[in-house]
Amino acid sequence: MKLSDLQFDNRFSSELPADSTTENRPRQVTQAAYSWVAPKPFESPELLAFSTEVAELVGIDADEAPEELARLFSGKALLPGMQPYAMCYGGHQFGNWAGQLGDGRAINLGEVINDRGEYWALQLKGAGPTPYSRTADGFAVLRSSIREFLCSEAMFHLGVPTTRALSLVTTGEQVMRDMFYDGRPGLEAGAVVCRVAPSFIRFGQFQLPASRQDYTLLKQFADFTLVNHFPHLMAAGSEPGAEHYAAMFAEVCQLTAKMVVQWERVGFVHGVMNTDNMSILGLTIDYGPYGWLDNYDPDWTPNTTDAGNRRYRFGNQAEIAHWNLYQLANALYPLIDDADPLEAGIASYRREVNELRQRTMASKLGLTTQDDSDGELVTELLALLAIVETDMTLFYRNLGGLKVGSLCDPQIPDEQLLEPLADCYYVLDQLDGPYVERMAAWLRRYGKRLQKEGSDDAARQQRMNRVNPRYVLRNYLAQLAIDKAEAGDYSVLHELFELIKRPYDEQPEFEKYAGKRPDWARERAGCSMLSCSS
Ligand code: AMP
Ligand code: MG
C-alpha cells in the first residue's frame, strides 16, 4: 500500500482521555492517559535500516523512497491520520515506586489497520522531548538505537515475543551523553527507531492511576485494554466487570511466563525489568542495557546500574516478573475488590513457569518423552555449565550433534567424549580432572536417557537445531556494528540484520559471527557492561 493510503484508527487516543493542556514541558499529568505532542522535525534524517517484513505487517510497500521513509519515521513529516502523543504511566524502578514516568522519549504516531484487519501501533523512540521527559532530553543515540533495532528483530526471529522494529534513522543532530556516568559527557549521533506492536501498554499504566486513587481512569484503562486487547475474554455485549479484570490478569500472568521462559531458552537478559518496562501483552519491550549470555552464568547482568544488587540478573528474571505481576495485581485490586482471583493468577504464573521450563529444557536436550530423572539431569547440567566458563549457545548447538552410540560406549575415554564440545569453553585451564570426569558422567547419563526413548540421532539434531540457535546477537557483535556505524560504515549493521533473520540455520557466509566472544570483548564497555545512558 502507498504510504498515503495507510488507514489509521487511533483507538488509544480516541477512546482514552487526553491531557487537557498541550504545553510540552516536564510536568505531572493527571486524569489523562496521554498528552498530545509533536515530534521534533530533525534537520537531515537519513534511513540506515528498514525492515521490509515489518513494513509488510503494517502494510507499507517495500519500494518507498528512503528519503520519504526517513522523514516519516523520524517524525519530521506526518501522514494523514497520524496523531502523535506520549503515554502517561508510572512504575517501580529497581524495586522502588518511582511515581510518574511516561513516554519520555517515545512518541506514538497512531494505530494502523492493515488489510488483514490487524492493528499495529507505531511509536518513535528518540523523536524529542515530551511532558514525561523529566530532566532528560527526549533523544536517543545511534549506539542504543542500533541495539534496539537489531535486538527486536533478532528476538522475533528466535521466536521470542517482542515489539518489532520498522526502521532506524539517524537524525543528523548530535546528542550529549555521559556514557559511563563518570562526568565526561561527549557528543554522539542522534537516532530514532520506529517500533511496532499491537500495543505499548505497560504494567505501569495501571499502577499510576491506582497510586493516585484515580479509579475512574484506572477503570477506563482496564476496560480499554480488555475490549481492545483481550476481546476473547468478553462475551458479546457484556460490560467489563470484576471477573473480566481477573481473567485478564490471569492471562497476563500466562503471557509473562511464556516470555520469561523464552528469554531463558535463548540466554537473553533484559537488564531493566522495571514495571514500566513490562508489556501487558507479554512482549519484550524497551531494549536498553540488555545482554546475551556468552558463558552461561545465571548471576550475570549486563546493566552496570544494577551491578551492586544484580536484581535483574539472568537467573532472577522469572522471580522479578513474579514481583512485577504482584504490583500489577495490587493496581487492579480496586477494580476487583477480592484478592483470591488475583492470587490464583499469581499461582498460575508459578505453575506455568515450572511447566514451561521443564518442556523447554526437554526440547533443548532433544527429549521427546518425560522421565522421573529428567529434573536431576537438567539440574546437574546447569550446574556444570556454570562451574567452568561454557558458551551457552555453542554448547546446546554442539550437544545436538552428539551420537547416542558414542555417548553409550564405555570404551570411549572421558576426554574423547568431551571433544565435540571443545569450542564451547573459554578457559581451557578450567577443564581439570574432576570437571572432565563429572561432565563425561553427565554425557553418559544423557546418552542412556536418549537410548531409553529410542532417540534417532539425525531426527533429534534436527529438532534441537530448531530450539537451540546457531546465532544470537552477542553483545560484542552489536558493538562491532556500532563501532563501524559510528565511523560511517553500516556494513556490519546490515550483515547482522541479515544474520539474525535465520538464527537456527547454518549460514556459512556468516560463520565468523557464530564463534564465542573474543577475548578483547570480555571487559569492554558495550560488550560486557552497559549503562542506562542511551
Ligand atoms: P527506561 O527504564 O530506560 O525505559 O526509562 C525510564 C524512564 O526514563 C522512561 O519514562 C523513559 O521514557 C525515560 N527516559 C529514558 N531516557 C530518556 C531520555 N533520553 N529523554 C527523556 N526521557 C527518557
Ligand atoms: Mg522504559
Side-chain angles (χ1 to χ4, degrees):
M1 201 178 295
K2 285 264 142 278
L3 284 165
S4 53
D5 293 334
L6 286 181
Q7 291 295 314
F8 283 86
D9 177 10
N10 303 324
R11 299 176 301 182
F12 188 95
S13 57
S14 60
E15 293 175 31
L16 290 167
D19 177 5
S20 54
T21 60
T22 51
E23 209 183 334
N24 192 359
R25 60 170 176 82
R27 57 199 163 79
Q28 292 293 303
V29 174
T30 56
Q31 296 174 311
Y34 64 93
S35 304
W36 298 115
V37 60
K40 181 184 170 187
F42 294 109
E43 201 53 46
S44 46
E46 197 184 321
L47 188 70
L48 290 196
F50 189 69
S51 167
T52 50
E53 282 180 336
V54 179
E56 201 275 327
L57 270 188
V58 175
I60 299 173
D61 287 344
D63 56 1
E64 292 289 348
E67 298 75 22
E68 182 60 6
L69 293 170
R71 279 156 46 81
L72 279 175
F73 297 115
S74 65
K76 185 167 186 165
L78 296 177
L79 289 172
M82 285 180 174
Q83 296 172 301
Y85 61 90
M87 293 176 174
C88 180
Y89 53 79
H92 278 88
Q93 296 184 311
F94 300 95
N96 304 306
W97 176 243
Q100 177 183 301
L101 296 168
D103 285 336
R105 57 165 162 181
I107 297 182
N108 304 273
L109 296 174
E111 295 164 70
V112 174
I113 328 182
N114 67 14
D115 50 17
R116 295 183 291 278
E118 298 162 349
Y119 280 78
W120 291 102
L122 307 183
Q123 184 182 79
L124 304 180
K125 183 166 174 180
T130 76
Y132 310 99
S133 297
R134 297 178 292 156
T135 57
D137 58 11
F139 301 119
V141 293
L142 179 59
R143 65 183 151 81
S144 63
S145 305
I146 288 176
R147 284 169 50 83
E148 172 130 22
F149 180 84
L150 286 177
C151 200
S152 314
E153 292 305 286
M155 293 284 268
F156 171 78
H157 290 286
L158 283 163
V160 184
T162 179
T163 62
R164 304 288 305 267
L166 172 68
S167 55
L168 169 63
V169 175
T170 45
T171 63
E173 298 184 17
Q174 298 213 299
V175 176
M176 187 69 88
R177 284 289 179 276
D178 185 358
M179 181 172 159
F180 300 107
Y181 293 137
D182 62 358
R184 289 184 303 160
L187 286 171
E188 298 189 45
V192 176
V193 170
C194 180
R195 312 198 279 196
V196 173
S199 165
F200 289 98
I201 295 177
R202 302 141 189 271
F203 290 10
Q205 254 143 334
F206 300 85
Q207 289 184 280
L208 186 61
S211 77
R212 291 168 166 172
Q213 294 166 351
D214 181 352
Y215 301 133
T216 309
L217 181 60
L218 177 65
K219 179 167 163 41
Q220 280 174 311
F221 222 94
D223 291 357
F224 175 85
T225 310
L226 252 173
V227 171
N228 292 294
H229 300 294
F230 297 85
H232 49 281
L233 299 179
M234 304 275 299
S238 64
E239 282 295 306
E243 73 272 26
H244 302 113
Y245 304 128
M248 179 167 75
F249 178 69
E251 197 165 319
V252 176
C253 289
Q254 300 291 302
L255 293 169
T256 306
K258 290 192 172 70
M259 173 185 79
V260 168
V261 176
Q262 290 289 335
W263 292 354
E264 291 179 359
R265 174 175 65 89
V266 297
F268 176 79
V269 193
H270 182 285
V272 205
M273 289 178 73
N274 293 335
T275 56
D276 56 306
N277 291 339
M278 296 291 292
S279 145
I280 202 75
L281 299 181
L283 305 172
T284 313
I285 190 172
D286 273 9
Y287 291 88
Y290 68 81
W292 294 82
L293 292 187
D294 289 307
N295 55 301
Y296 179 82
D297 176 1
D299 289 335
W300 185 70
T301 175
N303 185 355
T304 49
T305 315
D306 191 27
N309 291 321
R310 296 179 183 263
R311 179 179 172 85
Y312 298 141
R313 63 191 183 272
F314 177 76
N316 206 33
Q317 299 189 112
E319 274 308 309
I320 291 294
H322 177 263
W323 192 92
N324 289 343
L325 285 164
Y326 238 105
Q327 309 315 314
L328 178 62
N330 283 336
L332 292 174
Y333 177 79
L335 299 177
I336 301 176
D337 210 20
D338 179 3
D340 288 351
L342 293 167
E343 294 282 1
I346 295 272
S348 78
Y349 168 80
R350 286 238 178 257
R351 279 197 305 277
E352 184 77 359
V353 166
N354 287 336
E355 262 168 47
L356 289 173
R357 266 186 183 157
Q358 217 170 18
R359 266 194 271 153
T360 301
M361 282 310 297
S363 68
K364 286 184 79 65
L365 296 181
L367 301 171
T368 54
T369 56
Q370 279 185 14
D371 191 281
D372 288 344
S373 64
D374 290 350
E376 274 174 46
L377 189 74
V378 168
T379 309
E380 173 66 355
L381 174 63
L382 296 181
L384 277 161
L385 290 182
I387 55 174
V388 306
E389 285 186 32
T390 315
D391 190 85
M392 174 179 168
T393 304
L394 290 176
F395 179 86
Y396 286 106
R397 191 73 180 194
N398 289 359
L399 198 67
L402 301 184
K403 308 276 181 267
V404 175
S406 316
L407 294 171
C408 294
D409 181 352
Q411 303 301 319
I412 297 183
D414 288 355
E415 286 78 11
Q416 200 179 323
L417 210 56
L418 265 68
E419 259 166 34
L421 302 173
D423 65 342
C424 311
Y425 295 110
Y426 281 93
V427 187
L428 290 176
D429 282 354
Q430 292 176 343
L431 307 184
D432 59 7
Y435 171 80
V436 171
E437 196 180 313
R438 192 171 159 190
M439 187 72 212
W442 185 86
L443 287 169
R444 294 187 204 279
R445 188 171 161 189
Y446 173 55
K448 296 240 164 53
R449 173 68 184 82
L450 292 173
Q451 198 174 43
K452 191 170 164 188
E453 69 173 38
S455 196
D456 174 77
D457 288 337
R460 183 180 67 257
Q461 182 167 28
Q462 259 194 4
R463 273 197 314 277
M464 289 170 74
N465 283 356
R466 289 196 296 268
V467 180
N468 300 320
R470 175 83 173 127
Y471 308 94
V472 295
L473 186 65
R474 291 172 184 275
N475 314 310
Y476 88 90
L477 290 179
Q479 191 57 41
L480 283 180
I482 291 166
D483 289 343
K484 289 271 187 205
E486 286 180 340
D489 172 355
Y490 306 115
S491 57
V492 179
L493 167 67
H494 288 123
E495 276 186 1
L496 291 181
F497 187 37
E498 284 313 303
L499 173 83
I500 50 107
K501 289 178 191 168
R502 293 188 296 124
Y504 299 102
D505 295 353
E506 297 291 333
Q507 301 181 56
E509 70 277 29
F510 291 136
E511 190 51 31
K512 61 184 172 195
Y513 295 140
K516 55 180 182 268
R517 172 198 61 216
D519 234 23
W520 61 260
R522 186 179 276 272
E523 305 292 343
R524 216 201 116 176
C527 299
S528 59
M529 309 164 275
L530 288 132
S531 76
C532 285
S533 159
S534 58

